[in-house]
């Protein structure tokens, strides 16, 4: 079996150590390790993290392979340091049956770059009316544990209640895209001073907050757990904080872009900033950072949303919503959380690997970097600074808001069960 | 002046006064037997209308023809514009044809800004109304009308609207005319008050350079001009207000209300007027109502804007006249 010796890596940002991989597992962690015939990777004080886990990725296959495929998406994931991604259900056809989730799962297995766990739709066709066969998707080869109509909100209170109750049978979780549909009709950006000035339809914070408030109460009422996708407002943070203090089993995620960007950027009318939920205000950004630091927000999820160039190179109103995120997530988290002193690298490992794996029950991922554990690892050159160049992205789409922006950190190596998927920043 | 006219907010006080003064010169052309200047001879202007507006298009077309420009009308309504990429495609087609200026009307806010800044086209871009964002030439023609009526036709030259009190009534939320007017009137020194039910005022309006009131009656006695905005009947179904009757009771302008305005005060409307809900026939037909003048002034303003954006170093009208008389 092949061996790899990672020499002098700061495991979770701690003192430099050596990590020896034997086959698919970590054999040893310590100082002055040596191994006959092992391939040696000089880490030179780079940060070694458990392979990242993304609970919220859009891989677009089946149906929109011009945007992304499972293969290109998992290559992008490996480039960004991920070893496991959860693929959202809003594909064509929708992943609302055992057949579709098995197809996505199988494509993930074949890709070899990153494990893919399909998310199943909560309702048939994401239409919000009728529960999809949640149990069948769970029992399929894909073993679905997370259910979401993401892209749309499960708006009907009864359907949401039933979904929360039903998945208790197999400890599933419903991941809610919180967006009150009537309050967001015609919405184009955050409702506020900027939207009023630009004449773009407003997406008010309360449209997110009111749904989160309802759903945490529903979860409490039926004794289930609920996960809130991409929190974007200070008010949402307050509601989740209150729910947790009350003992409600709620988890929440924030995207890297909501930790960094504000609605002021929309003044450019450049659709690269058009995303759902929309970019909010500076005050919201600061509240989200604090909440991620203090654990109110459990995890960072990318909401990687690839779109082809022509869907963004147009006027704002006609442009698709979403941005790619897998390849820049760690850099943005370093910029907003690590370099600001809000989180250390152990905290990053917690928010981007341990906790998302736990919420999604990704077995074999989000494990400690210690002997006997699966060798899912990511090596980060945290001292690196450079401009983002989308031309180098592995994702099929390049709709990034960071083009030309200087961001810190670079993933240099990724190992999936001991096999290198990324070496010196290049995919294998 | 900037190379494009996208938003009234882009105009400095001096830019705005220059446009108003130039429009006065252009207005004289309309009084001549031959209403034509050679200023834009050989220049091509495209009226690119993605949204229906016969009034605005005809006004621009008249302005362009009076300046002797070659005019191309492109109406995209009903074609596949909803796909979005066609704005870019159309722009590149026009670019290939060597167009000098594009007058664009679009239902999407920001479309003219995108057209001017995305490198799709080199031509000067004039915003003829985009979504609920801006309609700068409308604001300019309104200011022009106010200056003529409140300051005077010749006395107004070089002057702004310092200290004049202007009230805008109606659907501020969905109105690009209101946005453009607030920006421009503030720049010109006027004091603006917006009057509407709270449902028809945008979030964050308290940060705008104007006063806000829910009460029309208390605002009228201190207004030099009252501009009524179109309230679309569909808004009623979306619960912005309970009934037409209630709206017109609280925010409609009838003869009794008009009597509360100072004697010199004028009534304005960007048109088309729907008599009944927002304005009664009595008010619309009174000589205090400037609707017809606004239409005529629109042509002068659009001539001035196109001349200033495209005329470059060609002689201005006032200099052109003696040359013609030789
Ligand atoms: Zn979503």
């Amino acid at each position: 079996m092949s061996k790899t010796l990672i020499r002098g890596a700061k495991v979770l940002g701690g003192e430099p150590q050596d990590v020896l991989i034997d086959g698919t597992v970590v054999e040893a962690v310590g100082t002055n390790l040596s191994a006959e015939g092992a391939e040696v990777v000089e880490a030179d004080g780079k940060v070694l993290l458990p392979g990242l886990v993304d609970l919220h990725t859009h891989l677009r296959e089946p149906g929109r392979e011009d945007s992304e495929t499972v293969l290109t998406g998992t290559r992008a994931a490996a480039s960004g340091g991920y070893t496991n991604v959860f693929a959202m259900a809003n594909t064509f056809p929708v992943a609302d049956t055992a057949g579709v989730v098995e197809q996505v799962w199988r494509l993930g297995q074949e890709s070899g770059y990153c494990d893919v766990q399909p998310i199943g739709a909560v309702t048939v066709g994401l239409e919000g009316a009728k529960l999809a066969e949640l149990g069948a998707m769970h029992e399929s080869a894909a073993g679905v544990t997370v259910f979401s109509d993401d892209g749309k909100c499960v708006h009907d209170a009864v359907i949401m209640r039933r979904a929360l109750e039903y998945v208790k049978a197999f400890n599933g979780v419903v991941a809610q895209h919180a967006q009150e549909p009537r309050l967001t009709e015609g919405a184009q950006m955050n409702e506020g001073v900027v939207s009023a000035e630009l004449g773009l339809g407003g997406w008010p914070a309360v449209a997110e907050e009111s749904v989160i408030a309802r759903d945490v109460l529903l979860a409490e009422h039926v004794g289930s757990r609920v996960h809130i996708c991409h929190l974007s407002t200070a008010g949402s943070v307050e509601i989740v904080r209150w729910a947790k203090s009350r003992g409600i089993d709620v988890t929440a995620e924030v995207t890297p872009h909501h930790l960094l960007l504000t609605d002021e950027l929309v003044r450019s009318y450049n659709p690269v900033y058009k995303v759902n939920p929309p970019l909010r205000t500076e005050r919201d950004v600061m509240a989200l950072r604090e909440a991620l630091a203090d654990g109110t927000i459990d995890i960072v999820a990318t909401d990687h949303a690839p779109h082809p160039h022509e869907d963004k190179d147009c006027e704002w109103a006609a442009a698709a919503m979403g941005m790619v995120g897998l390849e820049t997530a760690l850099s943005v988290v370093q910029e907003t959380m690590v370099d600001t002193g809000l989180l250390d690298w152990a905290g990053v490992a917690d928010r981007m690997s341990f906790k998302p794996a736990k919420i999604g029950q990704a077995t074999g991922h989000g494990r400690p970097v210690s002997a006997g554990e699966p060798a899912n690892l990511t090596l980060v050159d945290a001292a690196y600074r450079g401009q983002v160049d989308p031309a180098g992205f592995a994702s099929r789409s390049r709709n990034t808001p960071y083009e030309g922006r200087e961001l810190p950190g670079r993933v240099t190596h990724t190992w999936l069960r001991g096999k290198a998927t990324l070496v010196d920043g290049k995919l294998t | 002046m900037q190379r494009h006219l996208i938003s009234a907010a882009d105009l400095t006080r001096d830019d705005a006064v220059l446009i108003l003064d130039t429009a006065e010169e252009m207005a004289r052309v309309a009084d001549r037997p031959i209403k034509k200047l050679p200023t834009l001879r050989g220049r091509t202007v495209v009226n690119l209308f993605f949204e229906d507006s016969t009034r605005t298009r005809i006004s621009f077309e008249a302005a362009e023809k009076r300046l002797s420009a070659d005019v191309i009308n492109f109406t995209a309504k009903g074609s596949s514009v909803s796909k979005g990429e066609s704005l870019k495609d159309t722009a590149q087609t026009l670019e290939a044809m060597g167009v000098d200026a594009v007058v664009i009307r679009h239902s999407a806010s920001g479309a003219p800004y995108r057209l001017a800044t995305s490198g799709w086209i080199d031509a000067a871009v004039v915003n003829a109304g985009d979504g609920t964002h801006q309609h700068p030439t409308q604001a300019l023609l309104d200011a022009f009308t106010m200056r003529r009526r409140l300051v005077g036709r010749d006395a107004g030259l070089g002057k702004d609207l310092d200290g004049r009190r202007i009230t805008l009534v109606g659907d501020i939320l969905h109105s690009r005319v209101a946005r453009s007017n607030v920006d421009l009137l503030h720049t010109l020194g006027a004091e603006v008050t917006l009057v509407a039910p709270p449902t028809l005022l945008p979030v964050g309006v308290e940060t705008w350079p104007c006063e806000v009131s829910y009460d029309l009656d208390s605002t009228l006695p201190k207004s030099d001009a009252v501009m009524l905005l179109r309230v679309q009947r569909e808004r009623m179904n979306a619960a912005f207000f309970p009934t037409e009757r209630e709206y017109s009771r609280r925010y409609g302008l009838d003869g009794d209300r008009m009597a509360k305005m100072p004697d010199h005060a004028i009534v304005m409307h960007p048109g088309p007027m729907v008599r009944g809900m927002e304005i009664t026939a009595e008010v619309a037909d009174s000589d205090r109502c400037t609707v017809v003048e606004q239409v005529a002034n629109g042509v002068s303003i659009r001539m001035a804007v196109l001349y200033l954006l495209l005329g470059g170093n060609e002689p201005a009208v006032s200099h052109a006249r003696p040359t013609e008389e030789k």
Side-chain angles (χ1 to χ4, degrees):
Chain A
M1 224 30 200
S2 70
K3 291 194 177 194
T4 306
L5 180 63
I6 307 167
R7 201 140 57 188
K10 296 176 178 173
V11 179
L12 271 54
E15 288 303 307
Q17 285 184 295
D18 301 338
V19 174
L20 182 62
I21 300 171
D22 184 2
T24 63
V25 298
V26 174
E27 188 182 274
V29 179
T31 42
N32 298 319
L33 296 184
S34 61
E36 194 83 2
E39 189 181 341
V40 176
V41 174
E42 295 294 350
D44 298 326
K46 290 179 190 166
V47 175
L48 189 69
L49 299 175
L52 306 182
V53 176
D54 189 13
L55 200 65
H56 192 148
T57 307
H58 296 274
L59 292 179
R60 303 295 188 215
E61 190 175 5
R64 280 309 299 266
E65 290 82 358
D66 59 326
S67 304
E68 193 82 283
T69 63
V70 172
L71 179 60
T72 60
T74 50
R75 285 169 61 89
S79 293
Y82 288 88
T83 54
N84 185 279
V85 298
F86 286 74
M88 273 299 172
N90 62 338
T91 48
F92 302 96
V94 170
D96 59 1
T97 61
V100 180
V101 293
E102 281 193 4
Q103 182 197 354
V104 173
W105 176 75
R106 236 174 272 286
L107 287 165
Q109 295 284 104
E110 287 163 12
S111 89
Y113 283 97
C114 179
D115 286 348
V116 175
Q117 285 189 247
I119 291 175
V122 177
T123 66
V124 175
L126 308 177
E127 281 170 3
K130 199 169 167 293
L131 285 183
E133 289 189 337
L134 310 176
M137 288 190 273
H138 176 70
E139 286 163 14
S140 75
V144 175
T145 53
V146 181
F147 299 90
S148 181
D149 277 1
D150 183 63
K152 287 185 172 177
C153 181
V154 181
H155 174 242
D156 185 310
V158 171
I159 298 285
M160 187 61 186
R161 173 195 173 148
R162 300 288 183 240
L164 288 168
E165 285 176 314
Y166 196 82
V167 300
K168 284 205 290 183
F170 38 87
N171 195 25
V173 65
V174 177
Q176 175 70 294
H177 170 119
Q179 177 180 8
E180 212 294 320
R182 285 279 279 153
L183 285 172
T184 52
E185 274 171 20
Q188 302 271 349
M189 66 171 296
N190 179 46
E191 178 178 293
V193 173
V194 181
S195 69
E197 189 180 314
L198 297 182
L200 292 172
W203 197 136
V206 67
E208 174 174 310
E209 294 154 5
S210 58
V211 170
I212 297 174
R214 180 199 73 177
D215 287 352
V216 295
L217 292 172
L218 281 174
E220 177 180 46
H221 184 67
V222 302
S224 186
R225 66 189 180 112
V226 65
H227 176 76
I228 311 293
C229 295
H230 41 54
L231 255 71
S232 69
T233 80
S236 298
V237 166
E238 286 309 308
I239 293 162
V240 170
R241 190 172 282 140
W242 170 83
K244 286 187 167 177
S245 75
R246 198 174 155 97
I248 297 171
D249 201 352
V250 56
T251 53
E253 70 188 33
V254 63
T255 72
H257 48 273
H258 286 110
L259 292 171
L260 181 61
L261 310 175
T262 72
D263 65 353
E264 290 290 331
L265 292 161
V266 182
R267 290 184 191 281
S268 66
Y269 282 111
N270 187 342
V272 78
Y273 299 114
K274 186 172 174 182
V275 65
N276 186 11
L279 301 177
R280 305 287 189 182
T281 66
E282 185 73 21
R283 184 178 151 261
D284 295 306
V285 166
M286 291 306 153
L288 293 167
R289 288 185 189 181
E290 272 171 36
L292 182 63
D294 72 21
T296 302
I297 294 176
D298 302 84
I299 65 168
V300 174
T302 66
D303 195 5
H304 177 79
H307 291 293
H309 181 67
E310 58 271 23
D311 288 4
K312 285 288 197 180
D313 191 27
C314 55
E315 60 272 29
W316 182 275
M321 289 189 281
M323 38 183 76
V324 292
L326 285 168
E327 291 167 85
T328 49
L330 198 61
S331 290
V332 176
V333 170
Q334 185 181 337
E335 165 109 345
T336 57
M337 302 298 295
V338 181
D339 292 355
T340 54
L342 287 165
L343 271 189
D344 57 16
W345 286 105
V348 173
D350 182 63
R351 309 303 195 272
M352 296 184 77
S353 180
F354 298 145
K355 286 234 182 81
K358 185 158 176 267
I359 294 167
Q361 301 178 60
T363 43
H365 293 274
R367 302 293 305 165
V369 181
S370 53
E373 295 289 350
N376 296 316
L377 299 166
T378 293
L379 192 61
V380 186
D381 179 2
Y384 175 88
R385 285 200 82 89
Q387 283 186 353
V388 176
D389 180 10
F393 282 4
S395 175
R396 180 160 284 181
S397 295
R398 306 279 153 87
N399 50 308
T400 176
Y402 309 118
E403 179 167 9
R405 186 170 183 135
E406 190 176 290
L407 287 175
R410 191 171 72 109
V411 176
T412 63
H413 293 70
T414 308
W415 289 272
L416 175 63
R417 281 182 292 280
K419 176 183 169 288
T421 54
L422 188 79
V423 174
D424 288 328
K426 292 193 177 61
L427 289 161
T428 55
Chain B
M1 289 261 300
Q2 308 197 359
R3 216 163 65 77
H4 310 287
L5 180 57
I6 307 298
S7 165
D10 298 338
L11 296 170
T12 63
R13 184 223 171 253
D14 289 350
D15 286 341
V17 170
L18 174 65
I19 294 170
L20 300 185
D21 288 353
T22 308
E24 280 294 358
E25 295 178 28
M26 296 298 178
R28 288 189 206 122
V29 176
D31 300 336
R32 296 192 210 165
I34 296 170
K35 302 174 174 41
K36 220 166 161 91
L37 291 172
T39 318
L40 296 187
R41 189 173 288 154
R43 304 297 195 97
T44 305
V45 182
V46 174
N47 298 315
L48 182 58
F49 276 56
F50 289 88
E51 186 186 67
D52 243 352
S53 176
T54 312
R55 294 162 54 96
T56 305
R57 187 181 55 71
I58 289 176
S59 180
F60 269 104
E61 196 172 339
E64 291 148 9
K65 287 185 169 162
R66 280 184 194 173
L67 292 172
S68 305
D70 295 323
V71 180
I72 299 171
N73 285 311
F74 181 96
T75 308
K77 204 189 173 259
S79 60
S80 62
V81 289
S82 56
K83 266 220 77 189
E85 58 189 295
S86 65
L87 175 61
K88 183 186 176 189
D89 293 345
T90 308
Q92 289 177 336
T93 305
L94 298 177
E95 177 73 355
M97 289 161 60
V99 163
D100 299 294
V102 178
V103 174
I104 175 175
R105 169 80 153 225
H106 204 289
S107 59
S109 299
Y113 184 90
R114 275 296 268 170
L115 187 64
T117 59
S118 297
W120 298 336
I121 194 165
D122 253 350
V125 175
V126 179
N127 183 1
D130 62 327
T132 52
H133 177 223
Q134 282 275 336
H135 193 358
T137 58
Q138 176 72 42
L140 285 160
L141 77 88
D142 290 335
F144 184 73
T145 307
M146 289 174 208
R147 195 176 76 168
R148 277 190 151 191
R149 281 280 200 129
L150 302 175
V151 187
R153 197 170 165 152
D154 293 321
L157 284 174
K159 300 238 172 70
D160 55 20
L161 293 167
D162 189 41
R164 311 287 157 167
R165 292 167 302 183
I166 318 293
T167 301
L168 275 64
V169 190
D171 185 355
I172 310 293
L173 179 63
H174 301 96
S175 175
R176 53 192 169 211
V177 176
R179 276 170 181 72
S180 315
N181 264 291
V182 170
D183 288 337
L184 183 68
L185 292 171
H186 173 71
T187 300
L188 289 172
E191 293 165 20
V192 181
T193 304
L194 303 177
V195 180
T199 47
L200 289 175
L201 287 164
V203 167
V205 72
E206 63 281 356
T207 65
W208 292 16
C210 59
E211 297 293 310
V212 175
S213 169
Y214 308 140
D215 179 24
L216 180 57
D217 288 302
S218 66
T219 314
L220 290 175
K222 41 188 182 179
S223 301
D224 297 309
V226 175
M227 186 187 301
L228 302 163
L229 300 169
R230 175 91 184 276
V231 178
Q232 293 181 325
R233 294 208 152 99
E234 305 91 89
R235 304 287 180 228
M236 210 177 70
N237 304 326
F240 285 102
F241 51 90
T243 62
E244 260 182 56
R245 191 177 59 170
E246 174 156 327
Y247 180 87
S248 99
R249 264 195 202 156
R250 292 173 65 82
Y251 299 100
L253 192 64
D254 58 10
D256 291 345
R257 280 219 167 97
M258 188 167 65
K260 294 180 181 170
M261 294 164 52
D263 290 340
H264 69 273
I266 55 172
V267 176
M268 307 180 71
H269 196 297
M273 281 188 293
V274 180
R275 292 166 190 235
M277 186 158 68
E278 69 242 23
I279 188 166
T280 62
E282 183 188 1
V283 178
D285 297 332
S286 91
D287 57 7
R288 302 172 76 168
C289 182
T290 62
V291 173
V292 178
E293 283 165 61
Q294 285 172 265
V295 173
N297 293 342
V299 177
S300 306
I301 280 291
R302 285 160 184 141
M303 288 173 77
V305 166
L306 288 164
Y307 164 73
L308 290 168
L309 290 180
L310 290 180
N313 43 23
E314 312 268 332
V317 195
S318 48
H319 306 294
R321 265 175 108 185
T323 323
E324 274 176 6
E325 281 159 11
K326 256 184 219 169

